[in-house]
Structures are given as structure tokens and as C-alpha cells.
């Protein structure tokens, strides 16, 4: 199989060019075509001579993942289900707002961390995405923005789609390097956020290699209880995690963001809020309170509105910014990983069972949206 062109580093392009007796500076030109000019047909790289263009086409694969489904949400975001060459499904979400366009990318197909409240975790682990597959998501998003007639490109990238980015360290860091490279996407380090469930050695490594912004999926500040919902906590318990966070060189002194999914009766009490404030002591922190997205088959459910408000008030009164963030694109797919899981289920299903399920779903949709009054 040919290598994916988006997977090559600048140095690798240079080696390939040198082997062919070409000038190494052409690597910059190739990267500009791929990452800035949105051209993935090498025959159209017009500042290269024709034999070189033909050699590129012969030696590398320039295909982007296929968009298997695209769902538009009422809140303006769009969720995409992407299909790789080897038929793996992963998701990305474009989230526009007034001043920025944030793209939420996946780093793996599935995830091996097994958090009990997460649909991606329930999918299990299929494989890591390559750096090129991660970067393809930004290319596809920019292409979509152009198709919609917008002059804007993706300004911020968050690794909050499927997968645990620090469990795919090499590929994720290589992709981040291309995100900030001048001859590629040229984003600032403070516009790239890696969200992690808390892989301590990799957090320390990242601080040395490429300190982008960090978001920690915390969700619980009692060690025993955190281990119940996030098995990774058994390996890296809270005091060890806190030590790593105190030492993390966040860009522009922006501090660290904490994600706190609010689950009814699990982590939403006043006592939980008090423990959280204690845990955050000494860290420049912002907390995103995310009412849990329910998904089929999960016994856990969203915290009550009053509980979320009480929790938020407690943090705000102690000068910890704690906005309540409803997950974007909720109406089109609910929790992260849900779209991929649904499609995966369908792929695994007997076609006759699938057809029946779809008929039931269709009737359900028609009745819930009031287009038809009764089930025929
Ligand atoms: N694996 C990384 C990044 C992907 S998950 C991590 O865990 O940080 C992105 C975010 O979605 C995380 O904060 C995760 O805790 C959150 N999440 C997972 N399941 C959710 C659910 N059912 N409802 C709301 N947020 C959820
Ligand atoms: Fe993996 Fe993050 Fe989901 Fe946990 S919350 S299972 S780390 S994707």
C-alpha cells in the first residue's frame, strides 16, 4: 500500500526529494499545497515540474477520508462521520462562533480508557489514527467552510473527539507540530488544546516537547470514586495527576481547563464541589461543567439543573470560572462517539434486523417531531 502523503514530515519529503535528485526546498512547496492551498491532486501542483508531479502521484496516496455522514445541528455546528481507507469510522465536529471556528478532532478509532459514562469508551479500541488522518480532519473542515461560502478557516483545534490523544502520543504531537508550522496551518500553540483523562507520563512529556493547551477530564475528586468511573485513575491517582499539572508550562499563562461531566448522584453534590475547589488549589484553573449526554444502554444520567446551578455557584463564589457547557451538536448525535457507535452497530447487524430497526426509528422520528400524529 502507498504511504499517505499527509503522513510525511518535512524531513521525509526532503529525503525523498534528494533521492530523486531534486532540491530539498520543494518539500515546503508540497506542504503548502497540501496544508494551505487545499489541493490534494499532485498533478495540479503547478510550481513543480511535470515529472515530479507524476512521481508524487505514483509514490503516494493523496486521498482524504470519505465523509460518510454529515449532520447539521440547530446550534450551527456540524458533525461528520468519516470513513478511512480500511473502513474505520471516526468523528469530527465543526463549531463556529463569532470570533473563532473550533474543530473538534478524533485521535483514535474508539478508546481503550473505558470511562463508564462515555460512548466512545464503550466502543472499545480499534486503532490509532495517523498524523495524516488527524490533519485530514482540518483539511476537510476548511474545505467544508469554503463550500459554504465562508471566508474563514479553522482557528482552533481541540482533541476532544474520539480517543485518548495522549495514548497516541507520537502521532498527536506530530500532527500538532504541523498545526503550528508556518508552512502548514500556522496556528498558535494557545489555539491547540489536548484533552486527556490524565496520562501523567505523557502530560510531563508534552510539557517538554510541545506545551499546547491542556484540558483535563477530571469528573471526580475522590480517588476511589474516580477509579470507578475512570479506570485510568488506578494507574495515575489524583495526587500524582495534580503534581504533573502544577508543573505543566501552559502557553501564555492561560492555565488549565478542567472538564467536569455532571452525572446525577455520582459527582454533582455540594460536597463534590467543595472537594473540587480543594483539588484545584494552586492551579490557574477554569472548569467547564458539562451536563452528561445520555446514550442508549447507559444507566447514568444528566445531573438536575438545580444541582448544576448550585455546583456552579459554589465555584464562582470562590473565583473559579465555571461556565456550564452543553455539548455542541447534541440534537444530532448526543454524546461523543454516538454517531460512530450507531453506525458500527448497523454494520454489525443482520441486514433484515437493521431494516426493521430503521423502520421503527423512522416512525419514532415522525411522531416525536409531530409530522404524523399516530403510528400507522
Ligand atoms: N479522551 C479525551 C478526549 C476525548 S473525550 C478525554 O477524555 O479528555 C472529550 C470530552 O468528552 C471529555 O471531557 C469527556 O469526559 C467528555 N465526555 C465523554 N462522555 C461524555 C458524555 N456522555 N457526556 C458529556 N461529555 C462526555
Ligand atoms: Fe476515552 Fe475520553 Fe471517552 Fe474516557 S472520556 S473513554 S478517555 S474518549
Amino acid at each position: 500500500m502507498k504511504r499517505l502523503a499527509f503522513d510525511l514530515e518535512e524531513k521525509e519529503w526532503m529525503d525523498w526529494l534528494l533521492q530523486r535528485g531534486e532540491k530539498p526546498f520543494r518539500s515546503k512547496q508540497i506542504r503548502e499545497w497540501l496544508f494551505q492551498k487545499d489541493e490534494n491532486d499532485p498533478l495540479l501542483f503547478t510550481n513543480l515540474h511535470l515529472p515530479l508531479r507524476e512521481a508524487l502521484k505514483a509514490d503516494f496516496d493523496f486521498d482524504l477520508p470519505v465523509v460518510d455522514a454529515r449532520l447539521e445541528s440547530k446550534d450551527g455546528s456540524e458533525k461528520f462521520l468519516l470513513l478511512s481507507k480500511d473502513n474505520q469510522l471516526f468523528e469530527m465536529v465543526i463549531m463556529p462562533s463569532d470570533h473563532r471556528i473550533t474543530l473538534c478532532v478524533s485521535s483514535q478509532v474508539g478508546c481503550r480508557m473505558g470511562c463508564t459514562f462515555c460512548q466512545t469508551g464503550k466502543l472499545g479500541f480499534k486503532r490509532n489514527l495517523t498524523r495524516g488522518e488527524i490533519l485530514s480532519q482540518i483539511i476537510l473542515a476548511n474545505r467544508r467552510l469554503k463550500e459554504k461560502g465562508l471566508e474563514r478557516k479553522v482557528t482552533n483545534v481541540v482533541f476532544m473527539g474520539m480517543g485518548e490523544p495522549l495514548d497516541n502520543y507520537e502521532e498527536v504531537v506530530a500532527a500538532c507540530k504541523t498545526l503550528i508550522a508556518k508552512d502548514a496551518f500556522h496556528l498558535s500553540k494557545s489555539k491547540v488544546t489536548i484533552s486527556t483523562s490524565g496520562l501523567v507520563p505523557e502530560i510531563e512529556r508534552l510539557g517538554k516537547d510541545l506545551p499546547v493547551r491542556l484540558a483535563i477530564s477530571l469528573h471526580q475528586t475522590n480517588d476511589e470514586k474516580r477509579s470507578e468511573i475512570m479506570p485510568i485513575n488506578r494507574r495515575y491517582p489524583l495526587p500524582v495527576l495534580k503534581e504533573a499539572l502544577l508543573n505543566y508550562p501552559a502557553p501564555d499563562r492561560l492555565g488549565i481547563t478542567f472538564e467536569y461531566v455532571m452525572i446525577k448522584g455520582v459527582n454533582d453534590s455540594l460536597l463534590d464541589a467543595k472537594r473540587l475547589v480543594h483539588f484545584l488549589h494552586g492551579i490557574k484553573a477554569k472548569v467547564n461543567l458539562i451536563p452528561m449526554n445520555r446514550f442508549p444502554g447507559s444507566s447514568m444520567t444528566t445531573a438536575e439543573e438545580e444541582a448544576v446551578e448550585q455546583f456552579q455557584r459554589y465555584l464562582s463564589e470562590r473565583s473559579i470560572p465555571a461556565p456550564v457547557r452543553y455539548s455542541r451538536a447534541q440534537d444530532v448525535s448526543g454524546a461523543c462517539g454516538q454517531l460512530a457507535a450507531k453506525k458500527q452497530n448497523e454494520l454489525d447487524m443482520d441486514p433484515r434486523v437493521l431494516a426493521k430497526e430503521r423502520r421503527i426509528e423512522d416512525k419514532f422520528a415522525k411522531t416525536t417531531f409531530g409530522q404524523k400524529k399516530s403510528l400507522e
Side-chain angles (χ1 to χ4, degrees):
M1 219 161 66
K2 289 188 208 172
R3 261 192 92 184
L4 188 64
F6 306 98
D7 276 340
L8 269 77
E9 300 289 296
E10 195 176 356
K11 168 88 177 50
E12 292 175 289
W13 281 122
M14 283 184 183
D15 291 345
W16 181 82
L17 287 159
L18 282 169
Q19 266 172 20
R20 305 187 51 83
E22 298 285 348
K23 296 273 188 317
F25 78 86
R26 298 217 175 271
S27 67
K28 276 214 160 8
Q29 294 176 317
I30 297 172
R31 280 163 60 89
E32 278 167 9
W33 281 110
L34 293 179
F35 300 131
Q36 290 186 340
K37 299 184 193 161
D38 183 27
E39 181 51 75
N40 63 324
D41 179 356
L43 294 179
L44 300 178
F45 294 0
T46 45
N47 53 0
L48 308 183
H49 56 77
L50 190 59
L52 181 55
R53 290 185 238 164
E54 283 169 346
L56 281 170
K57 191 162 177 90
D59 282 11
F60 300 102
D61 172 2
F62 286 84
D63 288 344
L64 290 163
V66 173
V67 176
D68 187 83
R70 177 174 61 78
L71 298 172
E72 281 177 51
S73 160
K74 284 196 282 275
D75 67 15
S77 51
E78 281 185 296
K79 188 158 194 165
F80 296 75
L81 186 60
L82 305 176
L83 187 68
S84 69
K85 274 263 156 85
D86 60 342
N87 287 328
Q88 298 291 344
L89 292 161
F90 54 102
E91 300 176 357
M92 69 171 193
V93 190
I94 305 179
M95 301 175 288
S97 57
D98 289 347
H99 307 294
R100 60 176 82 117
I101 294 184
T102 305
L103 180 69
C104 172
V105 295
S106 293
S107 54
Q108 297 179 316
V109 181
C111 181
R112 62 176 131 221
M113 297 300 129
C115 305
T116 54
F117 51 84
C118 172
Q119 177 110 48
T120 307
K122 297 257 182 266
L123 258 182
F125 177 72
K126 297 275 167 53
R127 73 165 171 84
N128 281 327
L129 292 179
T130 68
R131 57 197 74 186
E133 287 172 325
I134 295 170
L135 295 169
S136 296
Q137 298 172 60
I138 294 98
I139 299 170
L140 285 172
N142 282 336
R143 203 170 267 194
R144 171 70 187 149
L145 294 168
K146 199 165 153 195
E147 186 183 283
K148 286 172 84 176
L150 298 172
E151 308 239 312
R152 300 158 76 195
K153 285 189 169 184
V154 169
T155 58
N156 295 56
V157 175
V158 295
F159 284 81
M160 291 187 185
M162 297 170 71
E164 165 52 58
L166 295 186
D167 187 36
N168 182 14
Y169 189 87
E170 303 294 339
E171 298 305 305
V172 166
V173 169
C176 289
K177 285 187 177 158
T178 304
L179 287 178
I180 62 175
K182 271 209 185 94
D183 64 350
F185 295 99
H186 204 189
L187 301 182
S188 98
K189 271 212 289 280
S190 57
K191 303 278 163 104
V192 177
T193 304
I194 290 187
S195 175
T196 176
S197 54
L199 275 66
V200 169
E202 285 75 19
I203 292 174
E204 288 166 349
R205 241 178 115 186
L206 188 68
K208 294 189 186 110
D209 287 348
L210 189 74
V212 292
R213 292 194 71 179
L214 201 58
I216 300 294
S217 294
L218 194 61
H219 313 322
Q220 199 21 293
T221 47
N222 170 297
D223 251 326
E224 215 171 291
K225 290 186 181 167
R226 189 168 190 262
S227 296
E228 278 170 25
I229 56 170
M230 301 180 73
I232 187 68
N233 193 68
R234 287 189 209 120
R235 206 169 344 145
Y236 307 115
L238 290 161
V240 180
L241 176 62
K242 176 151 183 190
E243 185 66 25
L245 300 183
L246 285 169
N247 293 327
Y248 189 78
D252 305 337
R253 308 195 166 276
L254 284 167
I256 293 173
T257 302
F258 290 83
E259 310 287 317
Y260 198 95
V261 171
M262 300 214 56
I263 312 168
K264 188 174 174 180
V266 172
N267 62 0
D268 60 347
S269 71
L270 199 54
L271 184 63
D272 290 307
K274 285 182 184 169
R275 260 201 331 264
L276 176 57
V277 171
H278 186 254
F279 178 84
L280 296 178
H281 188 74
I283 302 176
K284 186 171 187 308
K286 181 183 128 188
V287 181
N288 286 331
L289 299 174
I290 312 162
M292 181 194 163
N293 272 320
R294 293 192 65 181
F295 56 89
S298 168
S299 57
M300 294 184 186
T301 186
T302 319
E304 303 286 349
E305 235 173 275
E306 299 89 80
V308 178
E309 272 170 24
Q310 169 186 262
F311 204 99
Q312 181 187 36
R313 212 172 319 117
Y314 188 85
L315 295 182
S316 310
E317 283 167 6
R318 277 139 195 96
S319 306
I320 299 171
V324 178
R325 299 237 188 260
Y326 288 87
S327 305
R328 300 281 303 259
Q330 254 194 75
D331 49 339
V332 288
S333 55
C336 157
Q338 185 166 329
L339 197 55
K342 182 166 177 274
K343 178 81 191 216
Q344 190 60 52
N345 274 345
E346 290 186 357
L347 292 177
D348 295 341
M349 244 183 230
D350 177 320
R352 281 164 304 184
V353 179
L354 173 61
K356 193 170 160 216
E357 295 254 324
R358 282 210 173 132
R359 278 200 300 278
I360 293 169
E361 234 175 52
D362 191 37
K363 283 184 182 173
F364 177 70
K366 281 173 186 157
T367 42
T368 33
F369 295 115
Q371 290 163 357
K372 281 203 176 170
K373 291 212 169 59
S374 62
L375 290 172
E376 300 115 60

